């Protein structure tokens, strides 16, 4: 049985450095090539030595597919393609291709320039890497080679995020990347058609969460910001530069517009401006509202949101500031936080997940006194709020996607093991399909049952149609006669005559002959006539002929009568039928063995 | 000349009645040219190849065919059909047959045989499909003939086994439209070659195709079944299972149709019991269907989602606990097993298995739960609305909001539950959705009492910058019940804030507070001292009476005091004074109060019941009194008219209900008075050259009467043709007067002749328009004129003028009869208020936009009639036609105009005032078209020949508002 093999190099029972190897129908594909935020050593990147110990990866991989531009999905790409060595095609969507190099460059700068690491990829490497990228459009089927084809579906999550459908022959795999089933202020919901893949590889970040209605969260968020502004307080919203930040900006921008608010909103700059530019360009990837109104006004051209300057933090009066990074572990957001933490009128809203050890994590867990570097402590008086605006599908969303795609097997990645375990149980119970959750480096093999396509000759099909009922019924299989020819890797079903012709063979007739002894006192010809009338009465709807040469023909079966040499009363009937008439022939022989009824004339 | 006139008039007279009758045959004659079918025949014979023939047919199809020649045409077409070898031509002929059999008055039973015959011999699938379509048309044209029907159905059954999906589609459609349930198709159709051995009815046959391999055929089968239902046949319950299976079809159109089918069945058999698969429990069918359709709200295709969300709204019989689960995402676990697993459900809920995402780290996994209890995919209605309301497509969201409202109206407990969700929708990104959800909340607000926190979120929307949203919200607050006095206070505070931020909302906010006060008198009572800032010992300063916020507070308090007699005791002196002032100035907002103590009986009798009837009586009496005018001497008559007019005007002011009628009468009488005065002038006895001076007043009077008659005709709604006749009569009199005056002043015959001719035309058209009313106009001016008509039309202009003069002077006042309901169109400009002292400055040559906000009452078709006039100080005036989208309709008979007009002018040295007012445009041709048959678009060009069509004009119907503007010279 053919198998699909899946080996996660990263993201197996883990979040970060997504990298999944899939072998399907003899093709090897790498899905995502990300880095891990939590490590600064070799564990940062996936272990490519799993694929090959030395030498380039090109000959081992048929293609690499990147689902979206987050660094945990594309951060290791230049490393892999330029430093390890890969020259094959890399597939990603247009927005991803546009934004990805910005993030990579930023990442490189921080690692090399700030932390002073050496042996890291260079700007030139990023450029070279991006030259290998082949852009994808939504719902466009791209032939990687003769057998392997891929198709991208909309995934929500961030601008340009895509799910990919990978198909080799009749086997197929869907990889979701990160996706979101509820639309938000700037992106739509993920969607896939009923493609019934053999395997669905899904993320499972929120495997145990069912989120409240999105509106509820939005309303809470806006209310909190609004109240705080009215009190004259300052609001700090730590975000990562791309993705959620844009959603929150739109949310606040429209709210400010609707409510006619005047308090300033600032966005700490950096790579944001460049990225915002791309958001304005890729309008087709956004949600219904933005797509429909961009002619009047592009929603990403913010009226109320201005660039932030360090000195603004000390300005009096209310304001809202978006600052990076999102977990308050360093940079501008931390500086502002330190400034504002002492005033209980102020507020900090954490819009997403915080890794353990960061200040964000600490304050969310209720710590009110923070130890800063240099042994000083910081009293946290400001209000701390948590609003989950993370754009991953929740448990119900994952189930919904499974229902949409109807896969035959499931595989969970990109999540914590305990949570996955829970969801795995649910999936197996609800859909009764197998669900896997391999750890990094562990290989899962999924056996497939590919259907074998066979060409059938039209004549044969028409002939069978003419014989049978009105229409083929998909629920009732029907048997048909034909000859299967296997020739040069293709299968063909043709009628036997045609098969003979094609193969240049002669047709052989196969005939069965049998003798039946019968006690009948009449003369031969009378007996024959009696048989004729008997059969005529029994077999209605068949053509029965009494031929002048002393035979009876039932369809193509010949019956002859001769007297036995010893006993004139014992007649020997000779039945002969061809292989095709086996059914009728055997029926006749058993019928005649019983003898003729006496009442015949 | 005169002879010519006479001839024309006579001609018109003798034929008046027949004109319409004669037109019809004339038309017929033109249409029934025999050339039609013959021409087609020749064309088709001429056609050498199929392309030509197709061209001829296409050309032919563009014109209608008259009833008589349909059969001939059909014969020719059929004849050609048999000869034709090209599929496309045959297809076109088949479709033409269908078109022709739709012709009014043609009975297609004669072509049934031919059509069926062609069907049997046809090989091409496309043509077959088209022929079946034609048969369908024929079948629907012959609803009375069961035999034809049966034959058609048999044909359909026979072709159902066709291999082409189009043919199967059409067969199913035919079955759906013509099939009958009560008469099962019996064995006769065995002969027709189908393999349907036993007795089967249409429904079984159709439902067989639910499993067809082609999705289009599956859809057609479902649609056919729905069609059967629409035609009043009872669908079998067995279909339910099959329809449910189709809900998971791969194709969206099938799923969409299946949703409808399931809905239909749930309405037919709500109480049937269906088993739940994989368990031995049973539930009501309507609940099961509800669960299944709810599931479709998270379908992959948004068309299906819209369909499902809409459908949910009409499933009112569903059990309450199912209904409530549509709003719950978390409790989804065990809907189906709820009856047996109550305990487990509770345990599950309290164990907090799923995190809500609103608190940090509450999704740390706890102990593993029993697998059997938790169903992640809602096997029922779970969270359907939660999904629907946060859908990506706003169409789905609107459908979901609508459905919520329908369900909530029938179930108070559900209304209570869906409140939070509706309030959340106030935050939607699309204004349409926000507005819709506010409206919905208003509709269900009779069921609910808002808690303080809910009220808080509702009121937050008051700051919205969209006027529509705010007004909708005010409307909502008018109907809301609140529970505590804090809520009232909160609402008041927010409304005052709103008033402060958007001063233009003044009226709307006051109205809102009026209802808030009258709804919650007991809650307002404890707040009164605080609201009026009274103090037990000290006198507090008297608040500013012009402050809109203070007025708002007073409106609230006074309306509460109406049903709370103890409240006035808390008022201070100035409050009473303010009451008296507001009662007078804002009488629609401040109710009459019975105020004890201070000697002032402020209860006025204006609104006491019964006064309407007495006023009505008074009106009638005044009119009767006027009718005696005939018998009075001139000065006495004029006096009487003067008094009556004054009485009526006052009555109109006092009695709002009768304002329209009173005004109407007064205006009419004023016309009469003017006429009377004009005729009484001495000038009539003087020699012509001496009276030039007096002529001027008479001419002015005639002109004024004309204007007033247009006002009478177009400003008042609810007139009957009798009143219109009376008005036209007065107008005729005024025209006669004008004619006489021209004759006296002007020299020269030529202009006189033309005006005479025009006058005769006027009489003519009057007679034509009001033929039915003539009996009521006995002894009137017109009556006399019509008697004299032969003479008038033959005599010389000078003589005619003389006749007119005497008739005019002899004619008396025509008695006015009041219609049942009569309304005067009025308009009030709310904005600009005209109070501002700050001039609107703008640069010369550029434009400035002026916001106009006005209410229009009793205006029919304001989109076409209402215009804005801007009058500049130099006498220049502009008329601006507002866009149709600027009119809103908040209530019947009331419109709201919110628009912007653009002003521009050359530079001024000083700021100055311009006047803005609203005009009502009229055109007298509109009355003609009322009585004449409505003309089609294409005929209208030659149809408009009536001479009065030219009379168009405008009536100012609002008070002008002055706006201070200052165009500055542009800087160089």
């Amino acid at each position: 049985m053919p198998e699909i093999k899946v080996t996660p190099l990263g993201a197996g029972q883990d979040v970060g450095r997504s990298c999944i190897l899939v072998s399907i129908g003899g093709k090897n594909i790498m899905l995502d090539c990300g880095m891990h935020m939590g490590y600064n050593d070799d564990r940062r990147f996936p272990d490519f030595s799993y694929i090959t110990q030395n030498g380039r990866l090109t000959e081992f991989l048929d293609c690499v597919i990147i689902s979206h531009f987050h660094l945990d999905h594309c951060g290791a790409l230049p490393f892999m393609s330029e430093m390890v060595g890969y020259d094959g095609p890399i597939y990603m969507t247009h927005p991803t291709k546009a934004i990805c190099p910005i993030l990579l460059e930023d990442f490189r700068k921080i690692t090399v320039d700030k932390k002073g690491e050496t042996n890291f990829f260079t700007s030139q490497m990023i450029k070279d890497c991006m030259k290998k990228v082949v852009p994808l459009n939504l719902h466009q089927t791209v032939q990687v080679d003769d057998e392997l084809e891929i198709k991208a579906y909309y995934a929500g999550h961030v601008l340009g995020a895509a799910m990919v459908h990978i198909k080799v022959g009749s086997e197929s795999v869907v990889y979701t990347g990160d996706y979101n089933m509820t639309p938000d202020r700037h992106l739509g919901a993920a969607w896939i058609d009923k493609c019934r893949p053999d395997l669905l590889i899904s993320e499972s970040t929120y495997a145990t969460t069912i989120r409240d209605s999105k509106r509820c969260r939005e309303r809470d968020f806006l209310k909190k910001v609004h109240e705080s502004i009215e009190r004259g307080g300052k609001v700090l919203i730590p975000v990562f530069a791309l993705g959620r930040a844009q959603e929150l900006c739109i949310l606040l921008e429209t709210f400010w517009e609707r409510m006619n608010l005047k308090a300033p909103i600032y966005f700490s700059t950096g790579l944001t401006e460049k990225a915002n530019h791309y958001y304005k360009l890729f309008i087709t990837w956004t949600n219904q509202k933005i797509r429909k109104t961009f002619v009047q006004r592009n929603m990403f051209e913010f009226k109320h949101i201005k660039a932030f300057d360090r000195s603004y933090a000390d300005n009096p009066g209310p304001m809202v500031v978006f600052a990076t990074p999102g977990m308050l572990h360093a940079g501008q957001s931390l500086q502002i936080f330190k400034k504002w933490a002492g005033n209980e009128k102020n507020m900090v809203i954490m819009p997403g997940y915080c890794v353990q050890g960061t200040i964000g994590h600490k304050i969310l867990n209720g710590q009110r006194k923070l130890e800063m570097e240099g042994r000083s402590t910081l009293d946290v008086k400001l209000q701390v709020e948590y609003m989950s605006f993370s754009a991953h599908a929740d448990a119900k969303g994952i189930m919904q996607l499974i229902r949409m795609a109807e896969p035959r097997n499931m595989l969970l990645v990109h999540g914590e093991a305990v949570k996955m375990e829970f969801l795995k149980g649910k999936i197996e119970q609800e859909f009764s399909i197998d669900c896997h959750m391999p750890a990094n480096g562990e290989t899962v093999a999924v056996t497939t049952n590919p259907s074998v396509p066979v060409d059938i000759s039209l004549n044969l099909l028409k002939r069978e149609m003419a014989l049978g009922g009105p229409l083929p019924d998909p629920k009732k299989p029907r048997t048909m006669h034909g000859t299967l020819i296997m020739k040069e890797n293709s299968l063909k079903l043709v009628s036997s005559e045609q098969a003979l012709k094609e193969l240049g063979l002669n047709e052989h007739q196969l005939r069965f002959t049998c003798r039946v002894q019968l006690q009948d006192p009449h003369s031969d010809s009378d007996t024959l006539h009696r048989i004729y009338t008997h059969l005529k009465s029994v077999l209605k709807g068949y053509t029965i002929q009494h031929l002048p040469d002393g035979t009876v023909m039932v369809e193509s079966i010949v019956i002859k009568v001769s007297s036995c040499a010893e006993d004139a009363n014992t007649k020997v009937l000779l039945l002969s039928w061809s292989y095709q008439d086996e059914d009728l022939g055997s029926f006749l022989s058993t019928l005649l063995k019983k003898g003729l009824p006496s009442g015949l004339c | 000349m005169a002879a010519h006139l006479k001839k024309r008039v006579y001609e018109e007279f003798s034929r008046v009645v027949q004109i319409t009758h004669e037109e019809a045959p004339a038309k017929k004659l033109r249409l029934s040219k025999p050339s039609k079918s013959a021409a087609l025949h020749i064309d088709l014979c001429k056609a050498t190849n199929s392309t030509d023939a197709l061209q001829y047919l296409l050309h032919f199809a563009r014109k209608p065919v008259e009833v008589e020649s349909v059969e001939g045409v059909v014969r020719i077409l059929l004849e050609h059909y048999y000869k034709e070898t090209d599929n496309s031509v045959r297809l076109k002929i088949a479709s033409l047959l269908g078109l022709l059999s739709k012709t009014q008055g043609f009975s297609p039973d004669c072509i049934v045989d031919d059509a069926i015959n062609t069907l049997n011999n046809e090989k091409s699938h496309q043509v077959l499909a088209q022929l079946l379509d034609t048969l369908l048309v024929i079948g629907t044209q012959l609803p009375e003939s069961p035999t034809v029907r049966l034959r058609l159905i048999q044909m359909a059954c026979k072709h159902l086994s066709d291999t082409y999906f189009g043919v199967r589609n059409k067969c199913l459609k035919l079955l759906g439209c013509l099939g009958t349930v009560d008469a099962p198709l019996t064995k006769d159709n065995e002969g027709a070659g189908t393999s349907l051995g036993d007795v089967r009815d249409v429904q079984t046959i159709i439902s067989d195709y639910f499993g067809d391999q082609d999705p289009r055929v599956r859809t057609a089968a479902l649609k056919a079944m729905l069609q059967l239902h629409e035609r009043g046949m009872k669908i079998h319950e067995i279909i339910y299972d099959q329809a449910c299976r189709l809900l998971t079809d791969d194709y969206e159109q099938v799923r969409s149709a299946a949703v409808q089918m399931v809905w239909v069945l749930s309405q037919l058999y709500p109480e049937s019991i269906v088993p739940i698969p994989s368990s031995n429990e049973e539930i009501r069918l309507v609940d099961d269907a509800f669960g299944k359709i709810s599931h479709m709200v998270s379908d992959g295709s948004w068309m299906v989602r819209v369909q499902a969300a809409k459908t949910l709204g009409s499933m009112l019989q569903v059990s309450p606990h199912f209904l409530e689960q549509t709003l719950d995402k978390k409790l989804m676990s065990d809907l189906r097993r709820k009856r047996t697993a109550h305990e487990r459900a509770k345990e599950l809920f309290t164990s907090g298995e799923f995190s809500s995402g609103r608190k940090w780290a509450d999704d740390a996994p706890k102990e593993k739960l029993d697998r059997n209890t938790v169903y992640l995919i809602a096997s029922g209605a779970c969270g359907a609305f939660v999904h629907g309301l946060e859908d990506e497509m706003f169409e789905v969201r609107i459908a979901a909001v609508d459905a919520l409202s329908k369900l909530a109206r029938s179930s108070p407990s559900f209304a209570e539950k869906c409140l939070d969700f509706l309030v959340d929708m106030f935050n939607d990104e699309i204004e349409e959705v926000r507005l819709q959800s506010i409206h919905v909340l208003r509709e269900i607000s009779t069921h609910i009492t808002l808690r303080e926190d809910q009220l808080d979120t509702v009121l937050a929307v008051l700051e919205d910058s969209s006027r529509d949203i705010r007004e909708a919200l005010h409307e909502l607050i008018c109907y809301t019940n609140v529970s505590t006095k804090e809520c009232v206070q909160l609402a008041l505070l927010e409304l005052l804030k709103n008033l402060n931020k958007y001063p233009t909302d003044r009226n709307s906010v006051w109205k809102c507070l009026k209802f808030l006060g009258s709804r919650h008198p007991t809650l307002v009572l404890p707040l009164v001292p605080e609201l009026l800032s009274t103090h037990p010992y000290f006198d507090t300063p008297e608040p500013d009476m012009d402050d809109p916020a203070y007025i708002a507070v007073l409106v609230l308090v006074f309306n509460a005091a109406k049903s709370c007699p103890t409240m006035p005791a808390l008022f201070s002196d100035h409050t009473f004074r303010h009451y008296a002032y507001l009662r007078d100035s804002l009488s629609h907002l401040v109710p009459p109060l019975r105020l004890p103590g201070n000697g002032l009986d402020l209860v006025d009798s204006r609104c006491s019941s019964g006064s309407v009837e007495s006023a009505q009586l008074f009106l009638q009496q005044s009119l009767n009194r006027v009718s005696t005018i005939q018998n009075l001497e001139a000065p006495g008559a004029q006096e009487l008219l003067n008094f009556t007019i004054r009485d009526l005007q006052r009555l109109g002011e006092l009695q709002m209900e009768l304002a329209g009628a009173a005004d109407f009468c007064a205006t009419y009488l004023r016309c009469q008075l003017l006429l009377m005065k004009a005729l009484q002038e001495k000038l009539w006895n003087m020699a012509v050259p001496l009276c030039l001076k007096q002529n001027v007043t008479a001419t002015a009077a005639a002109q004024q009467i004309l204007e007033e008659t247009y006002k009478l005709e177009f400003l008042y709604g609810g007139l009957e043709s009798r009143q219109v006749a009376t008005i036209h009569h007065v107008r005729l009199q005024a025209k006669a007067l004008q004619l006489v005056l021209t004759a006296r002043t002007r020299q020269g015959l030529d202009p006189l002749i033309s005006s005479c001719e025009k006058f005769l035309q006027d009489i003519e058209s009057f007679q034509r328009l009001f033929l039915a009313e003539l009996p009521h106009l006995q002894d009137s001016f017109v009556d006399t004129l019509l008697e004299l008509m032969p003479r008038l039309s033959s005599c010389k202009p000078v003589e005619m003028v003389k006749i007119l003069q005497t008739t005019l002077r002899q004619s008396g006042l025509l008695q006015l009869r009041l219609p049942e309901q009569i309304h005067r169109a009025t308009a009030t400009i709310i904005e600009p208020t005209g109070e501002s002292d700050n001039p609107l400055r703008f640069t010369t040559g550029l434009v400035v936009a002026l916001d106009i906000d006005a209410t229009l009452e009793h205006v029919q078709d304001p989109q076409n009639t209402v215009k804005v006039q801007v009058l500049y100080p130099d006498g220049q005036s502009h008329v601006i036609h507002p866009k149709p989208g600027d009119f809103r309709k908040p209530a019947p008979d009331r419109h709201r105009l919110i628009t912007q007009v653009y002003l521009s002018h050359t530079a001024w040295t000083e700021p100055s005032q311009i006047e803005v007012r609203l005009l009502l445009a009229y055109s007298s041709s509109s009355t003609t078209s009322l009585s004449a048959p409505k003309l089609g678009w294409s005929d209208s060009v030659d149809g408009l020949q009536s001479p009065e069509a030219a009379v168009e004009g405008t009536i100012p119907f609002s008070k002008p508002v002055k706006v201070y503007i200052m165009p500055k010279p542009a800087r160089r």
Side-chain angles (χ1 to χ4, degrees), chain B residues 276-322:
Chain B
I276 301 170
S278 78
S279 82
N280 47 7
E281 288 162 47
E282 293 178 323
I283 51 170
R284 291 162 72 220
L285 190 138
V286 65
D287 290 343
D288 190 52
F290 189 79
K292 289 195 162 109
I293 295 180
S294 301
H295 218 167
M296 303 307 284
V297 174
S298 48
D299 191 86
S301 148
W302 70 273
M303 308 283 259
V304 180
R305 296 203 294 268
V306 171
Q307 179 76 45
K310 272 189 193 151
T311 312
L312 281 184
S314 46
M315 299 180 79
L316 302 177
Q317 301 105 315
V318 71
S319 322
H321 67 274
F322 267 85

Side-chain angles (χ1 to χ4, degrees), chain A residues 287-586:
Chain A
N287 72 7
Q288 186 196 22
K289 153 97 178 169
I290 299 178
R291 266 183 285 138
K292 290 215 164 142
T293 55
F294 88 99
V295 183
Q296 286 92 40
R297 188 190 153 197
N298 195 323
M299 289 279 274
F300 292 104
E301 269 158 31
F302 301 122
K303 256 190 216 161
H304 299 271
I305 300 174
K306 290 157 225 147
F308 184 70
D309 186 276
R310 195 160 299 206
S311 61
Y312 293 168
D314 297 319
N315 285 0
M319 66 172 87
V320 180
V321 175
F322 288 96
T324 50
M327 298 183 195
L328 281 182
H329 49 76
Q332 201 145 37
S333 60
L334 185 62
Q335 286 171 11
I336 301 171
F337 177 75
K338 280 189 210 155
K339 270 190 189 145
W340 292 357
N343 192 339
E344 64 271 14
K345 272 204 280 185
N346 297 343
M347 181 186 285
V348 59
I349 298 181
M350 308 297 299
Y353 181 81
C354 287
V355 166
Q356 208 153 17
T358 56
I359 293 190
H361 190 257
K362 282 181 198 154
I363 57 170
L364 276 175
N365 282 330
Q367 221 168 306
R368 296 315 264 181
K369 259 197 194 337
L370 297 174
E371 282 180 33
M372 309 307 282
E373 63 270 30
R375 299 206 173 175
S376 60
T377 56
L378 182 67
D379 278 330
V380 182
K381 286 192 187 145
L382 86 182
Q383 297 177 58
V384 179
E385 298 286 350
Y386 171 69
M387 287 276 141
S388 166
F389 274 93
S390 210
H392 291 273
D394 63 359
K396 200 165 178 191
I398 296 172
M399 296 307 237
Q400 204 183 332
L401 187 87
I402 298 175
R403 197 156 67 94
M404 266 178 159
E406 292 188 2
R408 295 193 190 89
N409 292 285
M410 268 304 285
L411 193 144
L412 297 177
V413 291
H414 201 279
E416 293 163 36
V418 236
K419 296 184 183 175
M420 274 188 191
E421 192 72 46
F422 170 79
L423 188 66
K424 178 178 178 242
K426 293 272 148 78
I427 292 171
E428 281 173 347
Q429 166 206 352
E430 190 72 37
F431 298 99
S432 35
I433 54 176
D434 282 338
C435 183
H436 310 274
M437 36 175 283
N440 285 339
E442 188 184 328
T443 304
V444 166
V446 175
T447 50
T448 55
N449 196 358
S451 46
V452 182
V454 174
D455 290 334
I456 184 165
S457 89
L458 192 63
N459 284 331
L460 181 65
L461 203 60
K462 275 190 177 158
R463 203 169 67 191
E464 285 296 322
M465 282 260 296
L467 287 178
L471 278 173
D473 187 344
K475 279 165 207 141
K476 283 183 205 142
R478 207 154 77 184
T479 49
M480 61 190 293
H481 291 278
T483 312
L484 188 73
I485 305 177
M486 291 170 78
K487 205 174 166 188
E488 293 157 5
N489 237 347
S490 73
L491 297 173
K492 234 178 357 177
L493 189 65
V494 295
S495 62
S496 43
E497 296 87 30
Q498 201 186 339
L500 286 169
K501 222 168 90 188
E502 266 183 44
L503 300 174
L505 296 174
N506 289 326
E507 187 175 358
H508 293 274
Q509 283 276 351
L510 185 63
R511 277 195 93 83
F512 299 97
T513 326
C514 95
R515 285 163 185 270
V516 178
Q517 291 207 338
L518 203 68
Q519 291 298 319
D520 198 57
H522 303 275
S523 73
D524 287 1
S525 57
D526 280 354
T527 311
L528 196 63
H529 188 74
R530 275 162 57 86
I531 289 170
Y532 172 68
T533 39
H534 176 52
L535 291 180
K536 195 101 177 163
S537 66
V538 175
L539 300 170
K540 291 199 170 88
Y542 289 87
T543 48
I544 300 170
Q545 291 163 299
H546 191 169
L547 298 177
D549 63 341
T551 50
V552 168
M553 292 279 285
V554 180
E555 302 276 332
S556 66
I557 299 169
V558 184
I559 304 173
K560 272 189 181 169
V561 180
S562 61
S563 299
C564 181
E566 298 98 53
D567 183 1
N569 278 352
T570 311
K571 300 280 184 306
V572 178
L573 301 184
L574 192 75
L575 272 83
S576 166
W577 64 88
S578 67
Y579 165 70
Q580 282 87 347
D581 286 324
E582 164 70 21
D583 285 351
L584 186 61
S586 48

Side-chain angles (χ1 to χ4, degrees), chain B residues 527-598:
Chain B
L527 292 172
V528 167
E530 192 186 339
L531 290 180
L532 298 178
S533 52
T534 47
H535 194 275
Y537 309 123
F538 304 115
D539 269 349
T540 44
E542 185 175 330
D544 178 15
M545 201 44 239
D546 288 332
D547 180 10
Y550 179 61
I551 296 180
V553 172
L554 285 185
V555 167
L556 175 76
V557 172
F558 289 148
N559 278 290
K562 193 185 170 195
S563 43
C564 183
T566 52
M567 205 180 287
L570 300 166
F571 294 173
S572 53
D573 287 346
H574 56 77
T575 315
F576 290 109
R577 268 186 281 118
H578 293 166
Y579 169 75
Y581 169 69
L582 286 181
R583 175 73 196 123
D584 227 34
S585 59
L586 298 171
S587 49
H588 59 289
L589 292 174
V590 181
L593 293 181
R594 188 169 293 279
L595 297 178
N598 50 15

Side-chain angles (χ1 to χ4, degrees), chain B residues 390-407:
Chain B
E390 58 183 23
D391 198 274
E392 184 184 355
M393 312 301 281
F394 84 95
E395 291 90 343
V396 183
R397 298 201 294 266
I398 286 201
V401 168
D402 280 343
L404 264 188
S405 102
K406 282 188 196 137
L407 290 170

Side-chain angles (χ1 to χ4, degrees), chain A residues 214 219-220 258-259 422, chain B residues 353 358 390 424 465 501:
Chain A
K214 166 192 100 182
R219 194 190 62 201
D220 274 4
R258 273 179 49 207
M259 295 301 179
F422 170 79
Chain B
E353 174 190 18
R358 291 175 91 170
E390 58 183 23
D424 280 348
S465 58
K501 202 163 174 184

Side-chain angles (χ1 to χ4, degrees), chain A residues 76-236:
Chain A
L77 198 56
F79 173 77
M80 182 207 64
S81 75
E82 305 309 311
M83 298 174 79
V84 179
Y86 169 73
D87 299 319
I90 301 169
Y91 290 93
M92 52 177 80
T93 62
H94 284 278
T96 310
K97 191 188 172 189
I99 299 174
C100 184
I102 308 177
L103 286 171
L104 285 173
E105 182 60 32
D106 188 63
F107 173 48
R108 190 197 64 82
K109 252 188 220 157
I110 290 174
T111 342
V112 177
D113 300 353
K114 293 231 169 107
K115 294 184 187 153
E117 266 188 62
T118 51
N119 193 21
F120 204 72
F121 54 79
T122 61
S123 296
Q124 189 54 43
M125 283 177 177
I126 298 176
K127 278 178 198 153
D128 291 342
C129 168
M130 292 323 281
K131 279 179 195 154
K132 295 172 186 165
V133 170
V134 183
L136 281 176
N137 280 318
L138 279 186
H139 303 178
Q140 173 199 17
T141 306
V142 175
Q143 290 285 343
V144 177
D145 54 33
D146 286 346
E147 287 154 10
L148 175 63
E149 61 180 46
I150 56 177
K151 182 176 175 185
Y153 289 94
Y154 192 74
H157 189 64
V158 287
L159 195 78
M163 306 193 273
V164 267
H165 182 225
I166 302 150
K167 198 172 160 202
V168 179
S170 65
E171 296 170 277
S172 59
V173 171
V174 169
Y175 173 62
T176 62
D178 290 356
Y179 64 101
N180 188 7
M181 294 300 285
T182 44
D184 62 30
R185 289 281 164 159
H186 72 306
L187 297 172
W191 182 85
I192 196 164
D193 57 23
K194 218 171 254 192
C195 50
R196 300 198 174 89
D198 290 308
L199 180 65
L200 176 70
I201 305 175
S202 168
E203 63 131 334
S204 53
T205 323
Y206 286 95
T208 56
T209 306
I210 291 188
R211 264 175 289 164
D212 255 345
S213 117
K214 166 192 100 182
R215 318 223 157 244
C216 234
R217 275 178 281 146
E218 283 177 2
R219 194 190 62 201
D220 274 4
F221 173 75
L222 292 173
K223 202 173 156 193
K224 274 172 189 157
V225 173
H226 191 192
E227 274 171 2
S228 181
I229 291 295
E230 283 207 325
R231 273 200 310 267
K234 298 174 167 55
V235 181
L236 172 68

